[in-house]
Amino acid sequence: RVRRAAPFGFSLDLLDEGPQVRVVEGETDVAVNIQRLSDGAALHLIRYDYDETADRVPSLDRLVLDVRVPLENVAVQGVSPEGGLAAAAEAAPEGGLRLVLRNVPLYGIVSITQS
């Protein structure tokens, strides 16, 4: 299911099922990568919400993502260098998984494993 596009011709409209990740609640400038694992997936995220006055990327209190992964009955765990990233999961309204993240730092990983 690979599609070709002209250079710089990529658009989310080219994806058959739409984006794999959607921000449902919270505002952030974030890059997300999902890596398939033998027992589930790992969602890596890095935020770019740099605050010049504070000279850092401040933690985000809450971020809710809908993620399309072929997994049901999952266990999730947030992992971050500071140790504060918390993650919970529930079924997303349109299928897939809704991740509720709290204390979202500059960088973190959400482990999603089949339970």
Side-chain angles (χ1 to χ4, degrees):
R1 297 185 351 162
V2 174
R3 297 183 93 168
R4 290 181 181 221
F8 305 103
F10 176 76
S11 165
L12 291 177
D13 297 333
L14 292 173
L15 301 175
D16 289 337
E17 298 176 43
Q20 187 174 11
V21 178
R22 293 181 192 271
V23 176
V24 176
E25 183 183 323
E27 284 192 32
T28 188
D29 185 2
V30 65
V32 176
N33 179 54
I34 301 173
Q35 180 65 45
R36 184 183 307 196
L37 304 174
S38 62
D39 62 343
L43 182 142
H44 296 254
L45 61 90
I46 187 164
R47 296 184 41 241
Y48 295 96
D49 301 306
Y50 180 70
D51 180 334
E52 285 190 36
T53 304
D55 192 27
R56 66 184 178 94
V57 174
S59 288
L60 188 63
D61 291 334
R62 180 178 162 96
L63 180 64
V64 180
L65 306 173
D66 280 355
V67 181
R68 188 169 26 88
V69 291
L71 301 169
E72 296 178 10
N73 302 317
V74 299
V76 297
Q77 179 180 5
V79 180
S80 62
E82 301 85 12
L85 177 61
E90 56 192 54
E94 296 180 15
L97 186 64
R98 176 160 286 176
L99 295 176
V100 179
L101 309 178
R102 295 193 180 276
N103 303 317
V104 184
L106 165 70
Y107 174 74
I109 301 169
V110 179
S111 170
I112 306 168
T113 55
Q114 199 77 49
S115 59

